[in-house]
């Protein structure tokens, strides 16, 4: 028993989080910055923070993650990090020659109160930023929000800095995506391409965090949204913001800045959310949905119909990030499964409200909580009180899954002990099929393992 001290008696806590269901803001900011071509993320804080953020991303994506740091010492912790950041900007452009330095803060620089806007303006005024190169920033104090807040802040930072309204509206649709895998970003582009819709995707970590092995090290891989694309987002016809927590603020900023209207949608995970995404893309572009996409939808529905008996009524516990959990819960309800326990370490009233909306009728017994005290310990206690048939979440769920003998599907960030998440999408109808396969495999493997010998079935 790895978690032998977890009891089923719940004592309400106000100041203690045990095994949080979130991680720190700059990790999200770093990941979003890697989705821009030629961009070097820069962590304004101590070396330790930067090393942790890089290694967290490397462990999940199995790719090297390049990032610079202001490398705070005791002196900068007391007197501020201006001189470190000025020197860093100079050194980075001289040695590593990125197109953009994307600075995010850390707990330490936020607590000191460094004014990054002023410091970067000084870097420009002092001639540390070569012509045609950019420095931009976002604030990511990690004692507020979570890794997805950091992602959202960096995406908003790109929108603040780059898009321009040149006055030549074109037919391009901007898609600002929440935190998903490179495979998911690739799938969004594939769906748009099948439909014949020209899009700009921001950020885009495909061909960066899932780059092929070529035998040649590319410091800046070929993927990522380009500066030209980000600038021209101001002239696009419409914006779709996928995943409200991560993208809505950026879409609002773009509308205010360049008058590009927008819709906020859930990430296209599962049938209903993908239907809404495809419909919105079709409406925004004026292009009808091709038969190929309709056929993909049909195949997903066929698979669900074929295997429905294994899914019906199964109790599911979930943990992770709101933008992922909301459409996932909707999908589980479509599959006639019962999402009974849900925790997310990321705070937010909108998530709470959407859970109430979705679950009050179909699963009135569901328990959910988000914010600081919504931790893995609480989730485990709920499971101990009344067990579940399936657990879905990131790698940290494996301890609970092992102790309670629950089939476990890995989804979300981080996944440290398996591969495949960077390469096989969970979005769109194709991703829906991938997800149903994972769920079924987990459930059916347990049946095969535990069923009495005389009941072993070859055909299931
Ligand atoms: S000090 Fe703050 S920014 Fe640095 S690793 Fe810890 S939580 Fe993250």
């Amino acid at each position: 028993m790895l978690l032998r001290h977890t009891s089923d008696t719940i004592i309400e806590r106000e100041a203690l989080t045990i095994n949080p269901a979130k991680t720190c803001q700059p990790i999200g900011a770093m990941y979003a910055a890697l989705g821009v071509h030629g961009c070097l993320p820069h962590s304004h804080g101590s070396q330790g923070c930067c090393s942790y953020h890089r290694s967290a991303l490397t462990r999940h994506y199995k790719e090297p993650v390049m990032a610079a740091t202001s490398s705070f010492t005791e002196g900068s912790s007391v007197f501020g990090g201006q001189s470190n950041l000025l020197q860093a900007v100079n050194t980075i452009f001289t040695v590593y020659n990125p197109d953009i330095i994307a600075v995010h803060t850390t707990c330490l620089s936020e607590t000191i109160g460094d004014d990054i806007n002023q410091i970067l303006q000084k870097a420009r005024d002092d001639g540390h930023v070569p012509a045609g190169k950019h420095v931009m920033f976002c604030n990511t104090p990690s004692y507020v929000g979570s890794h997805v807040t950091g992602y959202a802040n960096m995406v908003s930072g790109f929108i603040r800095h780059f898009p321009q309204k040149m006055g030549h509206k074109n037919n391009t649709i901007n898609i600002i995506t929440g935190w998903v895998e490179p495979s998911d970003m690739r799938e969004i582009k594939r769906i748009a391409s099948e439909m014949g819709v020209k899009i700009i995707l921001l950020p885009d970590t495909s061909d960066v965090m899932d780059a092929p092995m070529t035998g040649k090290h590319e410091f800046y891989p070929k993927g990522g949204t380009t500066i030209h694309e980000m600038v021209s987002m101001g002239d696009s016809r419409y914006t779709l913001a996928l995943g409200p927590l991560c993208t809505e603020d950026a879409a609002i900023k773009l509308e205010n800045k360049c008058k590009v209207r927008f819709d906020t949608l859930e990430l296209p995970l599962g049938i209903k959310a993908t239907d809404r995404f495809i419909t919105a893309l079709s409406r925004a572009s004026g292009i009808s949905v091709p038969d190929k996409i309709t056929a993909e939808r049909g195949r997903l529905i066929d698979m669900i119909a074929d295997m429905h008996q294994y899914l019906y009524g199964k109790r599911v516990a979930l943990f992770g990030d709101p933008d992922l959990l909301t459409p996932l819960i909707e999908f589980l309800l479509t599959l006639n499964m019962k999402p009974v326990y849900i925790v997310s370490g990321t705070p937010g009233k909108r998530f709470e409200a959407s859970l109430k909306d979705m679950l009050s009728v179909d699963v009135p017994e569901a328990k959910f909580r988000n914010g600081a005290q919504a931790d893995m310990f609480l989730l485990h206690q709920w499971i101990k009180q009344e067990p579940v048939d399936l657990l879905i979440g990131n790698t940290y769920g494996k301890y609970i899954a092992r102790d309670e003998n629950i089939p476990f599907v890995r989804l979300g960030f981080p996944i440290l002990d398996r591969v495949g998440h960077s390469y096989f999408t969970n979005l769109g109808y194709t991703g829906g099929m991938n997800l149903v396969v994972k769920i079924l495999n987990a459930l059916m493997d347990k049946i095969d393992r535990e069923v009495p010998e005389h009941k072993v079935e070859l055909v299931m």
Side-chain angles (χ1 to χ4, degrees):
M1 293 284 281
L2 290 158
L3 300 174
R4 62 180 68 83
H5 300 297
T6 308
S7 79
D8 60 2
T9 312
I10 296 178
I11 299 166
E12 281 306 320
R13 292 169 277 136
E14 283 181 10
L16 177 67
T17 305
I18 308 170
N19 295 336
K22 63 167 186 170
T23 183
C24 89
Q25 270 214 50
I27 292 180
M30 199 177 270
Y31 180 54
L34 291 164
V36 168
H37 182 72
C39 179
L40 189 71
H42 180 89
S43 169
H44 187 54
S46 69
Q47 286 184 40
C49 291
C50 186
S51 299
Y52 166 57
H53 307 148
R54 291 179 60 207
S55 69
L57 291 169
T58 291
R59 285 172 176 175
H60 176 89
Y61 294 104
K62 318 291 182 211
E63 292 289 327
V65 169
M66 304 300 167
T69 167
S70 294
S71 211
F72 275 27
T73 57
E74 292 85 343
S76 24
S77 304
V78 175
F79 299 112
Q82 171 165 300
S83 65
N84 290 44
L85 185 50
L86 289 174
Q87 187 176 346
V89 168
N90 197 20
T91 308
I92 290 167
F93 279 126
T94 309
V95 179
Y96 301 108
N97 195 28
D99 296 327
I100 306 163
I101 302 174
V103 180
H104 60 260
T105 55
T106 57
C107 297
L108 181 52
S109 54
E110 284 289 338
T111 305
I112 297 165
D114 274 351
D115 182 347
I116 309 298
N117 195 24
Q118 172 267 319
I119 299 173
L120 294 185
Q121 192 51 50
K122 185 168 169 47
R124 292 183 197 103
D125 295 344
D126 292 354
H128 296 313
V129 183
K133 305 280 181 177
H134 299 265
V135 283
M136 48 76 63
F137 77 101
C138 69
N139 293 96
T140 49
S142 206
Y143 31 79
V144 181
S146 72
H147 54 296
V148 287
T149 323
Y151 181 99
N153 290 343
M154 183 55 85
V155 174
S156 294
F158 283 120
I159 294 294
R160 258 199 325 268
H161 191 89
F162 287 101
Q164 299 291 328
K165 192 174 167 60
M166 310 301 255
H168 312 293
K169 273 268 178 239
N170 57 51
N171 275 336
T172 307
I173 308 297
N174 301 324
I175 298 184
I176 306 176
T177 174
W179 185 326
V180 289
E181 299 291 331
S183 50
D184 299 325
M185 298 192 185
R186 199 180 288 286
E187 178 65 6
I188 291 170
K189 290 192 290 187
R190 187 194 68 83
I191 290 171
S193 153
E194 294 291 354
M195 290 178 66
V197 182
K198 188 165 182 285
I199 63 162
I200 295 172
L201 183 66
L202 175 75
D204 179 5
T205 58
S206 63
D207 279 323
V208 179
M209 302 308 285
D210 63 350
M213 174 73 82
T214 60
K216 194 166 151 247
H217 175 64
E218 304 274 1
F219 202 92
Y220 302 106
K222 74 169 177 148
T225 318
T226 63
I227 291 176
H228 172 73
E229 286 174 323
M230 285 193 291
V231 171
S232 64
M233 285 175 83
D235 285 326
S236 292
R237 178 173 172 151
Y238 208 78
T239 299
L240 297 179
L242 306 182
L245 192 74
C246 281
T247 62
E248 191 168 69
D249 179 63
I252 291 169
K253 282 190 168 58
L254 182 59
E255 184 178 66
N256 291 343
K257 188 175 173 184
C258 303
K259 306 279 172 288
V260 182
R261 289 183 303 124
F262 73 94
D263 260 347
T264 308
L265 305 168
E266 296 300 339
L267 289 168
L269 185 150
I271 298 171
K272 290 181 182 173
T274 305
D275 287 352
R276 291 193 294 269
F277 169 61
I278 302 272
T279 306
L281 196 54
S282 169
R283 276 204 192 129
S285 61
I287 292 173
S288 51
V289 180
D291 292 346
K292 193 169 174 188
I293 299 283
T294 310
E296 287 175 15
R297 185 181 193 276
R299 277 192 290 274
L300 171 57
I301 290 175
D302 186 54
M303 176 190 271
I304 295 167
D306 289 345
M307 305 308 283
H308 186 246
Q309 65 274 29
Y310 292 100
L311 304 166
Y312 179 82
K314 291 286 184 295
R315 290 164 52 83
V316 189
L318 311 110
F319 62 98
D321 307 327
D323 283 351
L324 190 67
L325 288 180
T326 306
L328 176 61
I329 289 162
E330 185 185 57
F331 189 36
L332 294 176
L333 291 171
T334 309
L335 300 175
N336 281 137
M337 301 181 86
K338 285 180 168 241
V340 284
Y341 307 138
I342 299 132
V343 300
S344 174
T346 303
K349 291 207 174 354
R350 185 178 187 149
F351 178 54
E352 256 180 88
S354 69
L355 290 186
K356 265 187 205 136
D357 261 10
M358 284 191 291
L359 296 170
S360 56
V361 175
D362 291 328
V363 194
E365 70 273 33
K367 295 178 184 177
F368 47 87
R369 196 178 291 181
N370 66 325
Q373 269 73 53
D375 50 29
M376 308 282 296
F377 185 76
L378 176 68
L379 184 73
H380 194 181
Q381 287 185 304
W382 283 341
I383 291 170
K384 278 198 174 292
Q385 288 179 346
E386 196 176 345
V388 291
D389 302 298
L390 180 69
L391 177 66
I392 304 180
N394 65 43
T395 285
Y396 288 97
K398 78 189 282 182
Y399 301 113
I400 298 175
R402 184 185 156 98
D403 280 0
E404 305 299 333
N405 188 22
I406 310 168
F408 179 35
V409 170
R410 286 161 177 81
L411 191 72
F413 180 88
I415 296 173
L416 311 170
D417 60 342
R418 294 289 189 276
V419 289
H421 42 276
S422 317
Y423 304 108
F424 303 105
T425 184
N426 290 309
L427 297 193
Y429 304 121
T430 308
M433 292 180 82
N434 289 339
L435 200 46
V436 171
V437 168
K438 280 188 225 171
I439 291 172
L440 283 168
N441 283 348
L443 293 171
M444 293 164 95
D445 280 350
K446 183 166 194 265
I447 296 172
D448 277 342
R449 246 186 348 260
E450 297 183 347
V451 76
E453 252 178 44
H454 65 281
K455 288 206 165 167
V456 173
E457 293 284 356
L458 192 63
V459 182
M460 293 175 84

